[in-house]
Amino acid sequence: MSMIVRVKQKQIAELMSTGRRLDGRDLNEYRQIGMEMGFVEKAEGSARVLLGKTEVLVGIKIEVGEPFPDTPSEGVLTVSAELVPLASPLFEPGPPNENAIELARVVDRGVRESKAIDLEKLCLEPGKRVLVVFIDVYVLNHDGNLIDASALAALAALVNAKMPKYEIEEGEIKVKPGYIPLPIRNHPIAVTFAKINGKLAIDPSLEEEQVMDARLTITIEKDGKICSIQKGETGHFSMEQVLQAAKIAREKAVDLRKLVAKA
Amino acid sequence: MPKTEGKLLNKDGVRIDGRKPTELRPTRIEVGVLSNADGSAYIEQGKNKILAAVYGPHEAHPKHLALPDRSLLRCRYHMAPFSVDERKSPAPSRRDIELSKVIREALEPSIFLEYYPRTSIDLFIEVLQAHGGTRCAGVTVASLALADGGIPLRDLTVACAAGKVEGQLVLDLNDDEDKMGEADVPLAYMPNLDAVTLLQMDGQLTIEEFEKAINLALEGCKQLYQLQKEALRTKYVTVKEEEVEEE
């Protein structure tokens, strides 16, 4: 942790007790969000999301593969996350560490549990061939709250994704000309809180994350239901705080979802 | 309505394993089961069979991981290859790595790590048989292993899940309910501090249902907390009484 952060730590915590933040935001205010769809033309779907200075690129590739034995007539969804070394001095090359794995799994749960992709429409030949949707989260600049930025980019990329027209003819897979949109039927939105000095702050910056005691991510579906939760870090929450966070998340998700629809 | 209609709950509201909606699985806990470990415990919760062992505080290896102001807590959640229906590769899966992280973060707030600077405390959780809710049972048993190892704790940490199957909120989901049910909310808690230290969810719940689910999970935690304390007493208090009789 850098010295500047050490010096700021106390200030961040003290400000928080009066409901203020170092960058002047309210406790329930997101940083400015930017979104660019279709950034990578080679990918079937992609989106680049800026959350303040945090930058995440998500690319979606769609390939033909085998279904899981317990869901023979459903397509397959896999989510991976790379904390690319160019994104932060804290990241190192190598296989994904527990932070990258947690990030991927939290994004995965939001998409999977909200049934955002209609996987049954991705079946080509039950038990044999289905479409596999690879969501790859690529963190390009780390300035805090990678979960919300990644979940938003993943959703934007899914909405933007087009899949080739596959058809089975005499047991052979044929690719027909043209593309059709990926069947998306839900828009899960992740909303993350940091607990600092006993207070909850939405969308923590990196400096705030380095001071936070605990983290809570609540993913909300389009009908306002919760579809996934993840508590992180070594602090704790009270029951009241958890419920308060859930209610704020439900409100915030509405605004964030509009951004995806507009882009 | 769920596809499983009538499969997980019968018309009288009895669950697939014969329990009432708010009933825990039969649970047996034993403390001090491994002689080599500094602390250990074993839990059977329904068909779950889980061992936990603690080594340390001891010198941290590799040394560069040691922390100047507190002990380093390390946690490995691992499933035996034969613990599930289809053989699981013994290499840690992404799920295992995530669970190791959330379990470590669930237990860390309970430990006075600052008492043992420059050391490490290594916690091993081995799932011998899995039948739903192993992360929660893992937390419950690991906290006892820490206590058995004589590591100073602010409170025992206890964990239990609640969820929804076929529209009904239920406590302590088993594997079938977890896989086919509509939602699962695992929660870890330190009862004396009113602190939630692990909270996850998957599935679909309204906020109102979620509130009921965490309160139900909390009730389960409180019951398991009593079992944890009994297990500790059985090892530490009962033995003393016997010694007195022998004198």
Side-chain angles (χ1 to χ4, degrees), chain B:
Chain B
M1 274 318 276
K3 289 178 203 162
T4 58
E5 191 69 54
K7 204 170 164 194
L8 294 173
L9 274 184
N10 75 12
K11 60 182 190 310
D12 302 321
V14 177
R15 291 157 71 177
I16 192 164
D17 53 9
R19 283 183 290 158
K20 293 194 284 278
T22 59
E23 194 178 339
L24 284 175
R25 284 175 281 187
T27 302
R28 188 174 76 82
I29 307 177
E30 209 177 322
V31 170
V33 291
L34 299 171
S35 63
N36 277 334
D38 295 314
S40 62
Y42 173 68
I43 190 168
E44 284 184 9
Q45 188 167 357
K47 290 182 193 163
N48 286 328
K49 296 175 195 282
I50 304 172
L51 266 176
V54 170
Y55 285 82
H58 54 190
E59 195 174 352
H61 288 290
K63 274 188 180 174
H64 70 87
L65 293 177
L67 303 168
D69 58 341
R70 63 199 154 99
S71 184
L72 171 74
L73 178 66
R74 280 186 287 204
C75 174
R76 181 181 124 115
Y77 165 98
H78 185 248
M79 294 176 90
F82 44 76
S83 63
V84 280
D85 291 334
E86 269 183 46
R87 181 177 184 272
K88 186 188 169 300
S89 158
S93 64
R94 297 197 332 160
R95 175 180 175 275
D96 293 346
I97 293 169
E98 187 207 333
L99 291 199
S100 298
K101 180 176 190 284
V102 296
I103 292 172
R104 187 187 75 226
E105 291 169 346
L107 293 165
E108 200 166 320
S110 73
I111 309 172
F112 287 94
L113 290 171
E114 59 274 27
Y115 288 6
Y116 306 103
R118 299 181 301 279
T119 66
S120 76
I121 297 173
D122 294 296
L123 183 58
F124 302 99
I125 298 169
E126 283 292 335
V127 179
L128 307 179
Q129 181 166 279
H131 198 249
T134 55
R135 82 193 63 186
C136 288
V139 167
T140 303
V141 71
S143 185
L144 281 172
L146 289 166
D148 182 48
I151 292 166
L153 302 176
R154 292 178 172 87
D155 194 358
L156 286 170
T157 308
V158 57
C160 189
K164 188 170 141 188
V165 299
E166 294 175 7
Q168 170 74 47
L169 287 177
V170 296
L171 181 64
D172 187 20
L173 285 77
N174 68 27
D175 197 35
D176 305 308
E177 293 172 325
D178 183 11
K179 288 207 176 97
M180 295 185 283
E182 292 111 81
D184 179 30
V185 186
L187 177 143
Y189 190 62
M190 287 191 282
N192 284 336
L193 303 170
D194 185 36
V196 177
T197 64
L198 178 151
L199 180 63
Q200 296 182 290
M201 189 195 120
D202 51 45
Q204 270 125 353
L205 290 179
T206 64
I207 291 193
E208 293 69 29
E209 287 171 329
F210 170 67
E211 181 168 2
K212 284 182 191 152
I214 54 175
N215 282 317
L216 184 57
L218 208 61
E219 286 308 310
C221 285
K222 285 177 184 163
Q223 290 177 41
L224 286 165
Y225 188 60
Q226 296 306 321
L227 296 177
Q228 279 181 311
K229 288 197 288 189
E230 267 170 43
L232 278 175
R233 277 194 211 105
T234 306
K235 182 182 173 194
Y236 287 99
V237 185
T238 323
V239 174
K240 252 183 209 158
E241 281 168 1
E242 280 170 6
E243 280 170 358
V244 172
E245 280 165 20
E246 278 167 19
E247 275 174 18

Side-chain angles (χ1 to χ4, degrees), chain A:
Chain A
M1 203 182 292
S2 69
M3 274 312 290
I4 292 177
V5 169
R6 284 275 163 94
V7 174
K8 280 183 181 168
Q9 268 187 1
K10 213 176 143 195
Q11 202 186 351
I12 291 173
E14 277 172 5
L15 273 175
M16 198 62 80
S17 64
T18 61
R20 289 182 300 157
R21 300 167 82 168
L22 213 54
D23 53 13
R25 281 187 289 158
D26 292 336
L27 294 184
N28 292 336
E29 190 179 341
Y30 266 86
R31 289 169 288 178
Q32 195 175 359
I33 299 173
M35 205 180 285
E36 186 183 349
M37 312 284 243
F39 182 77
V40 181
E41 289 148 42
K42 290 269 180 186
E44 272 75 46
S46 65
R48 184 163 156 238
V49 163
L50 284 155
L51 187 51
K53 284 187 228 157
T54 289
E55 186 173 345
V56 174
L57 175 64
V58 166
I60 291 177
K61 296 296 288 176
I62 299 172
E63 291 175 3
V64 177
E66 280 182 27
F68 287 113
D70 54 344
T71 51
S73 57
E74 285 182 18
V76 173
L77 163 70
T78 72
V79 182
S80 315
E82 289 280 339
L83 305 178
V84 194
L86 66 77
S88 163
L90 303 170
F91 297 164
E92 288 177 66
N97 65 10
E98 61 174 24
N99 294 320
I101 288 171
E102 185 184 37
L103 175 62
R105 285 179 59 87
V106 172
V107 173
D108 180 296
R109 278 214 293 276
V111 175
R112 194 179 299 279
E113 297 299 328
S114 66
K115 302 182 173 66
I117 308 173
D118 191 349
L119 291 174
E120 282 173 17
K121 291 205 176 125
L122 302 186
C123 179
L124 300 174
E125 198 178 347
K128 286 190 178 154
R129 279 175 287 196
V130 296
L131 295 182
V132 184
V133 179
F134 293 92
I135 300 181
D136 280 288
V137 175
Y138 228 59
V139 175
L140 298 181
N141 197 52
H142 177 22
D143 192 33
N145 198 8
L146 294 179
I147 295 179
D148 291 2
S150 303
L152 198 60
L155 175 60
L158 282 172
V159 170
N160 165 259
K162 305 244 187 312
M163 55 183 191
K165 276 193 212 165
Y166 289 104
E167 265 172 40
I168 303 273
E169 278 175 15
E170 294 160 12
E172 300 265 315
I173 298 177
K174 292 271 160 65
V175 186
K176 300 272 165 182
Y179 289 88
I180 49 171
L182 196 63
I184 301 299
R185 53 183 182 187
N186 205 337
H187 289 183
I189 298 286
V191 179
T192 297
F193 301 84
K195 183 184 163 194
I196 301 168
N197 204 4
K199 285 237 164 56
L200 296 184
I202 218 164
D203 179 30
S205 66
L206 184 59
E207 283 171 351
E208 289 172 331
E209 283 187 350
Q210 287 171 337
V211 188
M212 71 182 169
D213 302 311
R215 190 194 72 217
L216 189 65
T217 300
I218 300 176
T219 308
I220 306 281
E221 309 187 345
K222 65 179 177 191
D223 61 2
K225 284 186 182 172
I226 306 171
C227 65
S228 146
I229 292 180
Q230 179 86 345
K231 179 252 169 189
E233 302 303 319
T234 57
H236 54 79
F237 292 93
S238 70
M239 282 290 176
E240 279 176 340
Q241 280 173 329
V242 170
L243 289 170
Q244 183 202 346
K247 284 173 189 152
I248 296 169
R250 186 168 56 180
E251 284 173 26
K252 284 286 157 190
V254 177
D255 302 337
L256 292 176
R257 196 170 290 115
K258 280 182 195 152
L259 290 176
V260 178
K262 254 193 281 174

